[in-house]
Amino acid sequence: MINLQFYQIVHIVSVILLAGITFSAIASPKPERRKSMLMSSGIVAMVVLITGFGALARMGLAFPGWVAIKVVCWLVLAMATPMAFRRSEQAGLWRAVTFGAILIAVLMVELKPF
């Protein structure tokens, strides 16, 4: 049986990797990097989702409101890398959206407001 700490550590490391991949794609959306960046972000995004729900199950929580907000933040992060390649002229917007999603996700997990 996998314990809670394993899920939490892999989840946090995966979120950091997803943010790094996303910011890298925003900074340099070169066509030759597209395939590898999209594959990497997709795989890491799935690891984030699986470990997040695994940790939630280990904590014995159902589906509190703050988790729903984190799922929306995950969707934004998962979509940011493809959008960085499709709309590279809007790099500033995607940078701000990515940063905002990360900030909101961190606030939700720390504050658990609802």
Side-chain angles (χ1 to χ4, degrees):
M1 202 54 99
I2 299 172
N3 65 11
L4 176 60
Q5 286 181 324
F6 174 81
Y7 282 114
Q8 290 173 330
I9 290 168
V10 175
H11 184 71
I12 291 168
V13 170
S14 299
V15 170
I16 291 168
L17 286 173
L18 183 58
I21 292 166
T22 302
F23 283 123
S24 176
I26 292 168
S28 180
K30 296 177 184 173
E32 62 270 11
R33 297 178 65 209
R34 186 176 194 273
K35 185 177 179 179
S36 65
M37 296 295 279
L38 293 179
M39 282 178 39
S40 299
S41 72
I43 292 167
V44 174
M46 288 309 301
V47 172
V48 169
L49 185 69
I50 291 166
T51 56
F53 278 107
L56 193 64
R58 285 281 158 235
M59 289 188 284
L61 299 174
F63 197 78
W66 61 269
V67 172
I69 301 298
K70 281 193 63 171
V71 169
V72 171
C73 292
W74 171 81
L75 283 170
V76 170
L77 281 174
M79 297 284 295
T81 300
M83 293 308 293
F85 285 99
R86 287 192 184 135
R87 308 266 191 225
S88 59
E89 68 279 357
Q90 296 175 328
L93 170 67
W94 295 115
R95 193 174 300 112
V97 167
T98 300
F99 179 76
I102 294 167
L103 177 64
I104 291 168
V106 169
L107 288 172
M108 288 298 110
V109 78
E110 286 300 316
L111 301 177
K112 296 177 179 64
F114 43 89

